[in-house]
Amino acid sequence: MNDNALKGVMILPRKALQTLTEPMYYVLLALTKELYGTEIMNEVRRISAGRIKIGPGTLYTMLDKFYSAGIIKCTNKSLTTKSYIITEEGKRMLREEYARLSTLILDGDKIMEVLE
Amino acid sequence: MKRKKETDELKIPFLFDYTELTAIEEYLTEQEKNGLRLVGIEGKCFVFKKSVPREIRYCAEIYKGSLISDFKAACEEEGWECIGIYNGELFIFATQDPDACEIMTDDKEKFKVIAKRVLLQPGYLGFQGWVILHFINQFVFRSDYAPLIEANIYDWICIVCAGFHLTYIFTKFIDFFVWLSKSKKYVKKGEKIPFSDLKKHRQDYRANCIAMVISAFLCIATILYLLVGYVESDWLVPICGVFVLFGALNLVYDYNKRKNNGETNRAAHIIAIMVAAVVIAGTFATVQYNHKMFEENTRHLMNNNSIPVSLSDFGIEENDCEDSTEYVYATRLAQQYFFSSDYENDSKNEESYYLDYQVFISDSPKIRQRYIDRILRNYEKWGIPIMKIEDSEADWDEYYREFDSGEMTNLGFAVKDNMVVFLDSCWMDEEEDFFEVAYEKLFAESK
């Protein structure tokens, strides 16, 4: 590789939750309205037309992370089953991820047009 | 006579690692087919109950978070019944619904959770081991033999490894005895404990057993090393090396096994054991050789009256010792005892001197150097100058010059063959050079 190509480029480790995985993205989409555990799983299935299935283990590991990072908040702590909703910080992340994915699509479109 | 309580319940210890979630599921499914249904987890045991076999799916998952009750509720809504929780973080679920959604659907996330738990567990055990060993060193054992005081980085690695394994084995033994005591209550006479099935499902059961034996050996060596200073540090480094090597080979064996879809790769297993055996044998041979050389050296010195001490001075005969190792060890203790504080009084000249000198003998240059380093370090810390006296006139002249000018105290040490002699605090006749006398006494005849 040409050394000049690396000049001025600083490679930083990716921060946690900086780029959302596919299930994370869908869970945040689902949490734009207040939902509890099973409802979130069903909502993700609905939004993705059954393509994405999230099990309770995966979901609650994710919710723990989101909650600790302040991306979601709990709306009814007193009840046995808690429900959650996305926070302003979470919405910002979701928008950023949406923009990033859109850029990927646009960049891909340019190449795909040439291919086709 | 009161009849022993009979029950259909059977307890079997939980001997799986967190990396073996699939093995747990397979094991439970097989027990179900054999008519043993998992009804709960008590402490560190699976609790089975005899029942009619049924079609059932088991799922073992790790969840460590603040939403345990929600997690369980969500699993139940998906058709999974929580049978038991091990260690507060490993959940065993069962369902009769063949279409029930998997609990962990994201493999990457699952791997992260397992890896975190797998790393935290030994880390915690290692910390425990370190605390125990630190306690032993600080409060129970303190003397010139305490190796932790002068431990180098390799010793620390060994000690930490040993501490971890000591704790690990301790917990495993507790598990075993708990199982043994409890299973007797539940298993009727003549009934076979389905322990062999458990063995089959362990990914590396036999390799783990051997690793545990090696760990036990490592622990015993460390305890001896810490408490009596009998095992020199040169032992522990190769032993630790053996353990690490065996661990690496064990990984190769596991990898091969997984690659072959769970079939045991016997060749890899045998090679792993053979290599480990060769290294262990080599280590023992080296240690034995060192001891033999030490013994011969000691005998030679004693026969030449180079060291004015023998075991008979302490009422110990060679025949009293069980083997040559014990003889050498006792000799060494006698020498150290004799030289640690010796008082001589010259009544004729009414000149007296007090001599405190130590002789440290070791065939290992590394250990000799560490002894010297310790002396230098301590005296430097106390701000007292000390000099090394070589067997040359120039060295002695320099020493006299510095001593006369008041720059040097009457401290010094000399190195000869496999001995380090440390000379401390002596008062002497002005016309007599005691260092020279002491040096001659110790080394003249061995020259």
Side-chain angles (χ1 to χ4, degrees):
Chain A
M1 187 187 280
N2 186 357
D3 286 347
N4 290 330
L6 294 171
K7 277 184 183 174
V9 177
M10 189 186 282
I11 299 164
L12 293 171
R14 192 174 286 178
K15 282 182 191 170
L17 301 177
Q18 199 176 33
T19 306
L20 301 175
T21 61
E22 200 175 26
M24 281 176 173
Y25 181 68
Y26 276 94
V27 167
L28 285 185
L29 282 180
L31 283 174
T32 47
K33 55 186 175 186
E34 185 181 334
L35 297 171
Y36 71 91
T38 313
E39 284 179 337
I40 300 168
M41 291 189 276
N42 294 335
E43 184 66 6
V44 168
R45 269 173 229 169
R46 193 190 64 76
I47 297 170
S48 65
R51 194 173 61 82
I52 306 287
K53 282 181 184 171
I54 295 180
T58 306
L59 175 71
Y60 278 92
T61 308
M62 246 182 241
L63 290 180
D64 263 321
K65 275 187 194 170
F66 287 159
Y67 188 75
S68 308
I71 294 165
I72 59 166
K73 62 182 177 185
C74 190
T75 49
N76 55 342
K77 286 183 183 173
S78 55
L79 294 176
T80 320
T81 308
K82 297 179 187 76
S83 54
Y84 303 89
I85 194 160
I86 196 165
T87 61
E88 286 305 313
E89 172 65 15
K91 282 177 189 168
R92 188 190 60 77
M93 277 187 69
L94 195 57
R95 280 191 209 102
E96 277 179 11
E97 185 64 14
Y98 176 76
R100 192 183 71 85
L101 294 173
S102 301
T103 312
L104 293 182
I105 298 295
L106 286 172
D107 291 345
D109 280 347
K110 290 172 202 166
I111 305 296
M112 296 310 285
E113 276 170 18
V114 175
L115 282 180
E116 283 163 11
Chain B
M1 193 177 153
K2 194 178 175 181
R3 201 178 163 189
K4 203 175 176 180
K5 188 186 169 185
E6 284 188 1
T7 171
D8 289 338
E9 280 189 354
L10 174 68
K11 289 190 178 184
I12 295 180
F14 188 99
L15 287 174
F16 294 95
D17 289 331
Y18 286 176
T19 51
E20 297 170 316
L21 298 181
T22 315
I24 297 172
E25 291 165 8
E26 285 172 6
Y27 171 66
L28 296 175
T29 309
E30 192 161 316
Q31 292 308 321
E32 179 71 35
K33 281 180 192 166
N34 295 338
L36 284 173
R37 183 175 303 161
L38 183 74
V39 290
I41 295 176
E42 277 182 24
K44 292 183 182 296
C45 291
F46 285 125
V47 182
F48 291 100
K49 197 170 184 178
K50 284 179 184 171
S51 59
V52 182
R54 56 184 181 163
E55 279 296 316
I56 197 163
R57 276 169 69 197
Y58 283 98
C59 181
E61 293 295 353
I62 297 168
Y63 176 75
K64 182 80 177 169
S66 54
L67 307 166
I68 288 179
S69 56
D70 285 19
F71 166 64
K72 274 172 70 180
C75 290
E76 276 161 19
E77 279 191 47
E78 289 295 312
W80 290 99
E81 184 196 352
C82 181
I83 309 289
I85 306 168
Y86 174 76
N87 222 11
E89 53 193 16
L90 200 157
F91 292 72
I92 307 285
F93 293 99
T95 184
Q96 286 183 287
D97 178 5
D99 300 323
C101 171
E102 292 293 326
I103 291 174
M104 284 296 273
T105 43
D106 188 343
D107 286 342
K108 210 182 264 183
E109 203 64 46
K110 186 171 178 170
F111 173 78
K112 277 186 195 169
V113 171
I114 293 171
K116 199 175 171 187
R117 304 319 304 163
V118 169
L119 284 174
L120 278 176
Q121 206 181 25
Y124 175 64
L125 290 174
F127 174 72
Q128 277 185 330
W130 180 80
V131 170
I132 293 166
L133 290 169
H134 189 70
F135 175 80
I136 291 171
N137 182 45
Q138 286 291 314
F139 303 106
V140 182
F141 186 76
R142 262 209 179 279
S143 83
D144 284 349
Y145 275 82
L148 293 193
I149 293 167
E150 49 184 320
N152 59 23
I153 184 70
Y154 303 108
D155 294 332
W156 276 110
I157 291 169
C158 295
I159 288 161
V160 169
C161 284
F164 157 57
H165 288 290
L166 187 71
T167 322
Y168 176 75
I169 286 172
F170 186 62
T171 53
K172 287 285 175 193
F173 272 114
I174 287 180
D175 280 353
F176 177 73
F177 286 115
V178 167
W179 168 74
L180 202 67
S181 62
K182 289 193 174 175
S183 62
K184 277 181 187 168
K185 265 195 279 183
Y186 295 104
V187 180
K188 290 170 194 166
K189 201 177 175 184
E191 193 174 23
K192 193 186 164 195
I193 300 170
F195 197 68
S196 56
D197 295 334
L198 192 67
K199 281 184 192 175
K200 198 166 65 184
H201 285 276
R202 289 279 300 182
Q203 288 170 6
D204 50 0
Y205 187 83
R206 207 176 303 169
N208 266 313
C209 287
I210 295 165
M212 274 176 69
V213 171
I214 293 173
S215 299
F217 181 74
L218 182 72
C219 291
I220 291 164
T222 308
I223 291 165
L224 288 172
Y225 178 56
L226 284 170
L227 296 183
V228 296
Y230 179 60
V231 184
E232 291 184 347
S233 83
D234 285 6
W235 278 52
L236 281 180
V237 176
I239 290 170
C240 194
V242 170
F243 185 80
V244 171
L245 178 74
F246 189 81
L249 290 167
N250 197 12
L251 281 177
V252 172
Y253 163 68
D254 265 3
Y255 173 75
N256 274 319
K257 191 176 171 184
R258 283 169 206 200
K259 203 175 165 187
N260 295 323
N261 298 322
E263 289 299 314
T264 306
N265 187 332
R266 200 168 284 276
H269 198 179
I270 291 168
I271 290 167
I273 292 171
M274 277 171 66
V275 173
V278 167
V279 178
I280 292 167
T283 310
F284 272 107
T286 310
V287 169
Q288 286 302 315
Y289 175 76
N290 281 341
H291 270 262
K292 199 179 169 193
M293 290 302 288
F294 182 80
E295 185 184 12
E296 279 177 9
N297 207 320
T298 310
R299 277 180 200 280
H300 172 74
L301 290 166
M302 289 176 73
N303 291 338
N304 287 301
N305 295 321
S306 306
I307 300 174
V309 62
S310 73
L311 284 178
S312 56
D313 294 339
F314 298 87
I316 302 168
E317 297 300 330
E318 190 174 354
N319 292 340
D320 294 339
C321 300
E322 281 188 6
D323 54 31
S324 58
T325 309
E326 193 180 341
Y327 177 73
V328 171
Y329 178 53
T331 306
R332 192 168 145 197
L333 274 183
Q335 287 161 4
Q336 295 210 347
Y337 176 77
F338 184 79
F339 284 115
S340 62
S341 180
D342 185 18
Y343 179 80
E344 291 184 31
N345 191 0
D346 187 346
S347 57
K348 283 179 189 170
N349 299 325
E350 293 185 354
E351 294 286 351
S352 64
Y353 54 81
Y354 174 78
L355 171 65
D356 185 2
Y357 60 100
Q358 288 182 325
V359 178
F360 185 84
I361 302 173
S362 173
D363 282 337
S364 161
K366 184 184 146 204
I367 292 177
R368 282 202 305 272
Q369 190 54 48
R370 280 171 58 194
Y371 179 76
I372 293 167
D373 289 347
R374 195 186 65 177
I375 291 171
L376 292 175
R377 200 166 53 240
N378 284 343
Y379 279 88
E380 193 182 345
K381 194 169 66 187
W382 298 328
I384 302 169
I386 182 169
M387 80 176 286
K388 183 177 176 181
I389 306 160
E390 299 289 357
D391 189 16
S392 76
E393 207 168 315
D395 282 340
W396 286 102
D397 286 346
E398 191 190 345
Y399 176 76
Y400 295 141
R401 200 169 49 249
E402 292 195 2
F403 184 70
D404 290 343
S405 65
E407 289 173 21
M408 176 58 68
T409 60
N410 52 348
L411 292 168
F413 68 91
V415 183
K416 179 81 177 176
D417 299 332
N418 66 342
M419 292 190 285
V420 180
V421 183
F422 174 57
L423 303 155
D424 192 2
S425 310
C426 53
W427 288 264
M428 65 193 94
D429 185 342
E430 283 181 5
E431 291 180 5
E432 188 180 15
D433 188 331
F434 186 75
F435 272 127
E436 205 166 10
V437 172
Y439 194 80
E440 283 297 319
K441 185 179 172 188
L442 287 164
F443 296 129
E445 291 182 33
S446 65
K447 278 179 185 173

